[in-house]
Amino acid sequence: MADVESAIENVKKFDKGADDKLITAVFKGLGPSVHNRDSSSVACSDPKELATVKKNYLMKKLGLKDGPELDAAIKEVCETMKEDRIKSRVTFYYLLCKKFKKESVYA
């Protein structure tokens, strides 16, 4: 997902009323990783990958405390995005950000 327009389009498959500004901020926050085929997606089948999402995004970036609700939210987003074989990291992070009402991190 090399451009913001594609990211916005992908997020809106899962959140019809998605906030374009927030999607753009999440996209920019991911830096060069959005342009790399491997790092631009989340592998829900890889426990190590999901642990990294939890530690680096939910805990470090969003400032959430570790707990079962973090794992449950990751699992929920995996389920929400199950129709996409390749899960966009921008969309994944956007949905987690909205779930925990942490939009202010990107303000």
Side-chain angles (χ1 to χ4, degrees):
M1 188 148 324
D3 64 74
V4 176
E5 291 77 27
S6 299
I8 290 170
E9 191 178 304
N10 189 264
V11 171
K12 289 190 174 180
K13 287 185 350 189
F14 303 100
D15 179 359
K16 301 288 181 236
D19 177 349
D20 292 7
K21 281 177 67 174
L22 180 58
I23 299 166
T24 302
V26 171
F27 182 90
K28 287 180 179 173
L30 284 166
S33 69
V34 295
H35 302 289
N36 178 301
R37 187 161 173 240
D38 186 49
S39 62
S40 67
S41 61
V42 174
C44 284
S45 60
D46 182 352
K48 193 172 151 212
E49 165 95 21
L50 300 181
T52 300
V53 168
K54 179 172 140 178
K55 182 177 165 221
N56 293 346
Y57 185 66
L58 294 178
M59 294 168 66
K60 281 186 183 172
K61 178 74 176 175
L62 299 186
L64 299 168
K65 298 271 183 257
D66 193 4
E69 65 281 351
L70 301 187
D71 296 309
I74 290 170
K75 187 176 180 183
E76 182 182 310
V77 172
C78 284
E79 186 62 27
T80 298
M81 294 182 72
K82 73 179 175 207
E83 71 183 59
D84 282 8
R85 194 177 69 74
I86 297 172
K87 290 156 187 61
S88 156
R89 188 169 300 275
V90 174
T91 303
F92 204 91
Y93 284 16
Y94 174 89
L95 294 172
L96 287 170
C97 181
K98 291 290 281 187
K99 173 155 185 65
F100 288 105
K101 297 177 176 38
K102 287 291 194 170
E103 296 90 338
S104 62
V105 169
Y106 292 99

